[in-house]
Amino acid sequence: EDLVQIISTQTSVGKMSAIAGRRTVPAAVSAALVEKGTEGVVAALMGNAGADIAEPTFHKAVDRFGDSE
């Protein structure tokens, strides 16, 4: 809950990237990162084996960054 609150008020890519790279990332945090994060933040999240990413969150990432390599 705290991490979601931090993400919702955050503009620092570095802080969001640090959250995306945590050993474990709950689904709600992943959703918040995909909603607010930059392409690099979302890429870091998607590459994190410890991130719980729900299917709708994957779809949102594709909607936002589908044209990206």
Side-chain angles (χ1 to χ4, degrees), residues 37-66:
T38 63
E39 182 178 350
V41 169
V42 174
L45 176 69
M46 295 297 164
N48 182 348
D52 182 7
I53 305 169
E55 188 172 339
T57 302
F58 276 115
H59 290 290
K60 177 69 175 183
V62 170
D63 288 345
R64 288 194 65 207
F65 305 108

Side-chain angles (χ1 to χ4, degrees), residues 3 6 8 13 18 21 24 27 32 40 49 51:
L3 290 175
I6 290 168
S8 70
V13 173
T24 59

